[in-house]
Amino acid sequence: AQKITQTQPGMFVQEKEAVTLDCTYDTSDQSYGLFWYKQPSSGEMIFLIYQGSYDEQNATEGRYSLNFQKARKSANLVISASQLGDSAMYFCAMSFMFSGGYNKLIFGAGTRLAVHP
Amino acid sequence: AAGVIQSPRHLIKEKRETATLKCYPIPRHDTVYWYQQGPGQDPQFLISFYEKMQSDKGSIPDRFSAQQFSDYHSELNMSSLELGDSALYFCASSLEPEPTGELFFGEGSRLTVL
């Protein structure tokens, strides 16, 4: 069965430093997508970055990059030059096709990031 | 750009009452998903629709029902509300149910059951 694991309940980082949030996944599918979402205290779910299972290059979006290691089934999020506004809950998610031929997205438990000045 | 619109943003109900949440997907998106996020929890998949037909069902209680209408908007109906139904309910939409397709989330509807 598909599963997403985020082993870091909480992380602290100093402003302007880089931080890596861990995510491992479990699937036997060949085609899937990996996502990172940011959820600030206000509650909305903000899309950050996406990596397709067939993409050979690691995805990057501004200060966000996804360290995709397919053999290890890991999809860690790297935030460079952390800002105070990065303090939030971060969810790793995986999209896959199930038997009905439709798409489903499952989430990890999340990592709460606190950026200190 | 148009985003996923959810209404109401906040809702307070008493136990045993009924609540209806609405979701308006991004124009031309034909797939809608509903997720429930309890306090301190990750979002849990409830149900999804593709082209107005239910495509998948997750951990949705029998007291809940949902449908997607001809204009692709969706409604989640919750009856006999319980305290444990208090949560943030997200709707998301995508263009075609592809595994590599991005899901666009609404800002969520926060339901509080007293």
Side-chain angles (χ1 to χ4, degrees), chain A residues 46-110:
Chain A
I46 302 168
F47 166 77
L48 294 179
I49 197 166
Y50 160 82
Q51 178 88 38
S53 58
Y54 295 116
D55 295 341
E56 295 185 353
Q57 301 263 6
N58 284 345
T60 59
E61 289 283 350
R63 295 186 298 112
Y64 305 107
S65 60
L66 198 153
N67 185 1
F68 181 44
Q69 298 191 35
K70 195 170 183 177
R72 294 185 179 182
K73 294 187 176 178
S74 74
N76 298 340
L77 176 71
V78 180
I79 305 175
S80 63
S82 298
Q83 301 172 356
L84 296 178
D86 294 334
S87 294
M89 180 71 90
Y90 288 80
F91 288 100
C92 179
M94 178 171 66
S95 174
F96 58 94
M97 298 288 279
F98 57 96
S99 59
Y102 301 106
N103 188 23
K104 178 183 267 186
L105 187 73
I106 59 170
F107 288 83

Side-chain angles (χ1 to χ4, degrees), chain A residues 31-33 35 37 39 41-45 47 50 52 91 95-98 101-109, chain B residues 9 33 35 37 41-43 45 48 50 55-57 88 90 94 97-103 105-107 110:
Chain A
S31 180
Y32 51 89
F35 302 80
Y37 289 89
Q39 187 176 43
S41 57
S42 52
E44 69 266 33
M45 196 69 77
F47 166 77
Y50 160 82
F91 288 100
S95 174
F96 58 94
M97 298 288 279
F98 57 96
Y102 301 106
N103 188 23
K104 178 183 267 186
L105 187 73
I106 59 170
F107 288 83
Chain B
R9 292 292 311 280
Y33 310 79
Y35 285 82
Q37 186 180 23
Q41 305 292 315
D42 55 290
F45 172 74
S48 62
Y50 170 63
S55 54
D56 189 24
K57 197 171 181 180
L88 188 57
F90 285 105
S94 69
E98 294 290 333
T100 55
E102 180 186 342
L103 269 67
F105 282 85
E107 294 186 321
R110 190 173 296 278

